[in-house]
Every structure is written in structure tokens, then in C-alpha cells.
Amino acid sequence: MNSNPSPSASDADAGTISDITAGSQALHRKLGGKEVQLFAIGGAIGTSLYVQMGAALPKGGPAGLFIAFIVWGTIMWAVNECFAEMVTYLPVPSPFIRFGGEWVDKSLGFAMAWNFFLNMAFLVPFELVAMNIMITFWTDKVPVAAIIVAMIVLYAILNVISVRYFGIAEFYLSIFKVILMLGLFLFTFITMVGGNPEHDRYGFRYWNNPGAFVEHLSSGGTGRFLGVLSCVYQASFSICGPEYISMVAAEAENPRKVLPSAYRSFVWRILLFFVGSALCMGIVIPYNDPTLLAILGGDMSGSGTGAASPYVIAMQRLKIHGLPHLVNALIMTSIFSAGNGLLFAATRTLHGMSMEGHAPRFLSRCTKGGVPIWALAVSLSFCLLAFLQVNSSSAEAMTYLVDLVTCCQLINYGSTALTYRHFYSALAKQGISRDTLPYKGRFQPYTSYLAMGGTAFMLLAGGYDLFLTGGWDVMWFFLDYGMIAFFLIALLGWKLVSKSKYVWPGTADLTLGGLKEEIDNYQAVYLSDQQGKKKGVLDRLFD
């Protein structure tokens, strides 16, 4: 199974969106089970788990934050089941975008491609803003503009000269991110039972004082509900993962064995990393922590304003010397890695779109080293959004980008669930038993209904505060709903231009123009070659 098109593949295969993914191009070999899972974990663990989730704590309280992540985690599990069944059946490059175009409508694939590119592109300046916040932990003497320019230059250099080493670096950085996250969980447990310089056994103190819930924008039960809703919105930004597994589907060494394991473990990643971090953040600091509120409100000046991570704030409160500096530095390496990886993904996405005819042709031009230089330049230009923090607080600029990214992610997930409905109907009408699939999604098709309903609800509820406070703001309305309009314009516009036809449920070509047969042949050859070979400890663990 090659990532490059075979002679029998359709012309559309020549430039599939993630044909050049981080792992495939940098490693120049197929990915094993441990590598696929670590890429997925590394892609999911980012700034939000260390810093951004704390922004929702003052709105919902510790219990509200915890409940919200469980609720949205359930919806993301449903989304994962849709991804898993389709991608393991046909592990092709950029599968969820390709499936939307082939099984629903070409215009849907076009709109999903642009939406996915913008999702990646908006996340790069988000990481730049986060980096500035973390640097101000030590000093605020460095101009914001200087930090942004320096980061843009470094990203440009790294994406031009070190592409071949990118996948290897991200593989080991993913291991590092997991260790850092587990270390913070361990810090929470040890300190809450009294293992700190203050000998303070604070336990779940902050769930009682100041309280487990916050009344947000209203009083009573309505206010508490809105507090939880605001935390669910934060969770819809923070929790991700199925798309990262899908991005490397075509590069997996044994996709129909490796990918099901990766998707099955997603629910445990939700519980461990996302729900676990939501619980820990509500334990280590109260929702009315003055340092956190000052940072979020942009009222704090001087060194120390970078202590935006609830973990770092807790370490300072407990007078644990040295550790806050170490953790802050480690989080910065994760932020830098995340931004570099996202820029790489955005660049290759745009390059692939150009080769498909979904973006201007000049974006497909590459240097002698294979770097799509014009696509890189366009992707880098999105970093200029980070300059928003020059005239406003970093926390406010970060909120702008969170709104844009959240909308993009929700559209991606909802579109994938819709695509699954067409896939499910085609299986039923073409007499293909789901019991024969490499991965059989649980409780389908009801799971897909939950995925579509949950994502649609959050898309519409994203601007709830605009309608409840009475303080209408055009800018915030655009941030909350602008990407929906862009998606619809892209979908309808491309449909008019290309005159694409809607694929009625049950009529989709599940062989994808003969690609399924090629994958079946690859699988048979691979299994024959692997007979009798011994597996390492890590391979057995991840299998």
C-alpha cells in the first residue's frame, strides 16, 4: 500500500491532502503500532492540557470542569467510532476528507479540506500566543513582537532544512509529553495528600471552599448549567485525537491490525489525559485563584504573569522552589514542538490541496529538497494573527483563536459523522456485513447520531453568551459562527463551479476506485512476510 498513487488509482490520488504527513515523509518507512499511537497521543497532548483548560475553571468550577470533560469525552468517543470503522476499512491518505468527497459529495470534500487546513493554520498562532504567556513567567521585558518574529523565523528555518528529521523528533517528543503529563498527575496526588513543603493536606478542599460549581452569567441552577456549558465548549477545543490517527493511516505498517488498536485505546486516552487533567486542575487551585483571574483578565503585570498553568500556580503557592521553573520550561518545549508540527501539517495540507486543484497551482511548487515553499509561506502568514496580543491581552488573543479552532474542529467531526452515515447505508445496501470489518463501531448507527447531534449542538451554542448577556458584539459573533458561514460558502461555491453530484445513501463506491483491492493485496503480502518474526516488548504492548 503506497502513499503514492498506483497506475490504477484515479487521478485524484495524485495529491491527497495528507499525502505528505509528518511521519511518512520524515521516517521514510511504514509506522508500527507504537509509533501510530504515540503520534496520535503527541498530536492530542498540547497547550490546552497544561494551560488553556484552566481558563474554563473560573466559569464552571472544579465539578463543572470535570463533568464537562466527561460529557464531551462521551461525544468524542462517538466521533472516534465513526472515524475508526471507515479508516480501518480503507486506510488511504487523508481518509476522512477523501471519504467525504467520494461518498457524500465532491463539494463536501473540498470544504472539509479547506476547513482542516484552517484548523491547523489557526492553531499555529495559538501556540505563539501561549509561548509568550509562558515566557512572561520569568520576565515581561521581552517585547511581544520580538517573540513572535523570533518564533516565525525559527519555524521557517526548521520547516525548510529539517523535514527529514521531523517525524523522528516528534516521535520522541510524544513520549516526552506523556511523561510530563503523568508527572503532573503524580504531582497532584502527592501534594494533595500532604507531600509538599507546607505539609498542607488540601485534598478536595477547593471543591468545598469556594465550591464545586460556579454560577456563570446567571444565578441558581441556570447559572450552574451555563458554567458547565462553558466548560463543555472548552472541552470541545481540548479533546482531539481521531484525526491524528487518520492522518497517518496510509503509512501504518499493518493498518488493519495497528489502527484498530489505536482507535480502541482512544477512550482510555480521553479518561487518562483529558478527564484526568480536568480533575487535577480543579484540585490544585480554586476557581477564584487571584493569580489565575488576574492572568485571564489581563490585569497582572510584571514577571510571573506567565504562570498561566494551574500546575505552576499551585507549585508557587506551595512554595516548591525550582519545580515551577522546570515545568514551565518543559511546557514551553511542548508548545514549540506543537507549533512546529502544526505548521508542517498545514503546509502539507495546502500543498496537497493545490495538487488536487482545490487551491492555486503555484502552491504545489517545491524546492529541490522537496519543501513546498509557497505553501509554507502562506501557512506562515497565519502566524501574523499572533500580533493580536500586541494591542490586547495575551489571554484575550488566545480566546479569539480558540473560538476559530473550536468551530473548525466541530465542523470536521460533524462532517465525518455525516460521511459515516453514507458509509453505513452503503454497507447495508451492498450486502457487506459489518462483522467482517477490521473494526466494528460500537452501537452504530446510534453512535453516529450522537456524534452529529453533539457537534451540531455545540456549533450552535458556541455564542450562547452573546444572546444571554444582551451585549451584542459583531466581532465575537463572527468568531463564534464565521467558520460555519465559510464552510457553507466553500461547499456551495465548489458545487456550483464543479457541478458535483450528491452521492445518495447506499450508492457510494466502497472500493474507492479499486484502492481497496490494492490495500487487500498489500495486507496479504505483509502478513506473509511477517510470519515467524518476533516482536519487541513495545510492539507487544501496543498491539
Side-chain angles (χ1 to χ4, degrees):
M1 182 186 65
N2 283 320
S3 58
N4 295 323
S6 66
S8 62
S10 65
D11 292 340
D13 295 331
T16 43
I17 302 304
S18 54
D19 212 11
I20 309 177
T21 59
S24 63
Q25 283 295 300
L27 294 176
H28 295 291
R29 63 182 177 81
K30 295 295 182 181
L31 304 176
K34 60 182 182 297
E35 292 163 326
V36 170
Q37 295 212 39
L38 284 170
F39 272 124
I41 292 171
I45 296 178
T47 306
S48 182
L49 276 176
Y50 307 121
V51 180
Q52 182 61 24
M53 284 169 59
L57 186 60
K59 297 178 181 178
L65 186 66
F66 182 61
I67 291 171
F69 271 75
I70 291 177
V71 170
W72 190 253
T74 302
I75 294 173
M76 279 305 300
W77 164 79
V79 171
N80 178 74
E81 295 300 290
C82 296
F83 271 96
E85 189 167 313
M86 293 188 296
V87 176
T88 56
Y89 177 75
L90 272 176
V92 297
S94 191
F96 60 98
I97 294 173
R98 180 72 184 278
F99 298 157
E102 297 289 340
W103 295 343
V104 182
D105 196 305
K106 293 286 187 183
S107 61
L108 178 64
F110 174 82
M112 288 178 71
W114 273 103
N115 184 69
F116 184 70
F117 163 70
L118 292 175
N119 187 5
M120 297 292 102
F122 285 140
L123 277 169
V124 181
F126 171 82
E127 302 296 343
L128 296 186
V129 174
M131 179 64 78
N132 177 64
I133 292 177
M134 303 313 289
I135 288 176
T136 57
F137 174 68
W138 293 295
T139 179
D140 63 339
K141 304 300 181 184
V142 183
V144 173
I147 296 172
I148 297 171
V149 171
M151 292 283 286
I152 292 175
V153 171
L154 286 173
Y155 281 161
I157 294 173
L158 288 171
N159 274 266
V160 168
I161 67 173
S162 64
V163 173
R164 63 181 298 183
Y165 303 112
F166 179 87
I168 296 173
E170 287 301 308
F171 172 72
Y172 288 106
L173 282 170
S174 296
I175 297 176
F176 162 76
K177 290 177 183 180
V178 172
I179 294 173
L180 175 59
M181 201 67 245
L182 294 177
L184 292 174
F185 290 165
L186 189 61
F187 158 80
T188 302
F189 176 74
I190 292 175
T191 57
M192 71 184 290
V193 297
N196 58 75
E198 298 290 295
H199 304 292
D200 181 11
R201 299 180 181 178
Y202 59 91
F204 284 85
R205 174 190 303 160
Y206 303 126
W207 285 55
N208 295 315
N209 184 22
F213 292 94
V214 176
E215 295 178 355
H216 181 56
L217 299 180
S218 185
S219 59
T222 301
R224 287 189 289 273
F225 170 77
L226 292 175
V228 175
L229 180 62
S230 67
C231 292
V232 173
Y233 190 73
Q234 175 62 51
S236 67
F237 167 77
S238 300
I239 301 179
C240 57
E243 67 272 38
Y244 292 104
I245 302 174
S246 302
M247 283 173 66
V248 296
E251 306 307 325
E253 189 177 50
N254 183 10
R256 289 178 177 158
K257 175 69 180 297
V258 166
L259 296 178
S261 299
Y263 282 116
R264 286 190 189 98
S265 66
F266 178 72
V267 64
W268 301 111
R269 290 200 296 275
I270 291 176
L271 291 174
L272 179 61
F273 294 114
F274 298 111
V275 177
S277 189
L279 177 62
C280 289
M281 285 187 177
I283 290 175
V284 296
I285 62 172
Y287 68 73
N288 61 353
D289 182 89
T291 302
L292 180 63
L293 294 178
I295 293 168
L296 296 177
D299 301 325
M300 200 171 183
S301 61
S303 62
T305 59
S309 170
Y311 300 108
V312 174
I313 294 173
M315 291 170 189
Q316 290 181 307
R317 186 192 77 246
L318 295 170
K319 298 179 181 177
I320 302 176
H321 303 295
L323 190 57
H325 298 275
L326 175 62
V327 170
N328 199 71
L330 294 177
I331 292 175
M332 286 174 62
T333 64
S334 179
I335 291 173
F336 184 83
S337 167
N340 191 42
L342 290 164
L343 178 62
F344 190 97
T347 301
R348 269 57 189 181
T349 297
L350 191 58
H351 172 257
M353 289 165 59
S354 174
M355 294 185 69
E356 284 193 350
H358 290 169
R361 294 296 297 177
F362 77 91
L363 295 174
S364 62
R365 295 174 187 169
C366 297
T367 64
K368 291 181 180 179
V371 177
I373 194 68
W374 292 111
L376 174 60
V378 171
S379 300
L380 272 171
S381 68
F382 281 79
C383 294
L384 300 178
L385 290 171
F387 284 103
L388 287 169
Q389 61 185 317
V390 173
N391 295 321
S392 60
S393 72
S394 296
E396 187 175 358
M398 187 175 278
T399 303
Y400 298 157
L401 295 168
V402 166
D403 273 19
L404 291 172
V405 171
T406 301
C407 198
C408 287
Q409 288 185 173
L410 290 171
I411 291 171
N412 270 334
Y413 296 148
S415 298
T416 300
L418 172 64
T419 302
Y420 176 82
R421 291 295 306 120
H422 283 65
F423 173 72
Y424 183 91
S425 296
L427 289 174
K429 291 191 177 182
Q430 295 174 29
I432 301 174
S433 172
R434 293 178 59 242
D435 293 327
T436 65
L437 303 182
Y439 186 105
K440 183 179 179 181
R442 286 161 284 191
F443 309 114
Q444 294 286 19
Y446 308 106
T447 309
S448 64
Y449 297 149
L450 175 61
M452 286 190 289
T455 53
F457 174 79
M458 286 311 301
L459 274 172
L460 297 176
Y464 70 93
D465 50 339
L466 289 174
F467 303 101
L468 292 174
T469 59
W472 183 258
D473 190 307
V474 174
M475 183 193 72
W476 283 107
F477 181 81
F478 171 78
L479 290 171
D480 289 328
Y481 299 108
M483 290 310 301
I484 301 176
F486 171 84
F487 185 82
L488 293 175
I489 291 171
L491 189 152
L492 296 175
W494 189 252
K495 190 166 185 65
L496 290 174
V497 170
S498 66
K499 295 181 172 56
S500 62
K501 295 183 179 179
Y502 175 69
V503 180
W504 291 98
T507 63
D509 176 15
L510 297 182
T511 69
L512 227 58
L515 283 179
K516 182 180 181 298
E517 183 179 352
E518 292 183 31
I519 296 170
D520 291 341
N521 292 337
Y522 163 82
Q523 191 81 6
V525 172
Y526 174 85
L527 293 175
S528 177
D529 291 343
Q530 294 299 307
Q531 287 181 356
K533 288 188 177 182
K534 293 184 178 179
K535 293 183 178 181
V537 174
L538 283 178
D539 291 309
R540 290 195 297 270
L541 174 64
F542 282 97
D543 281 343

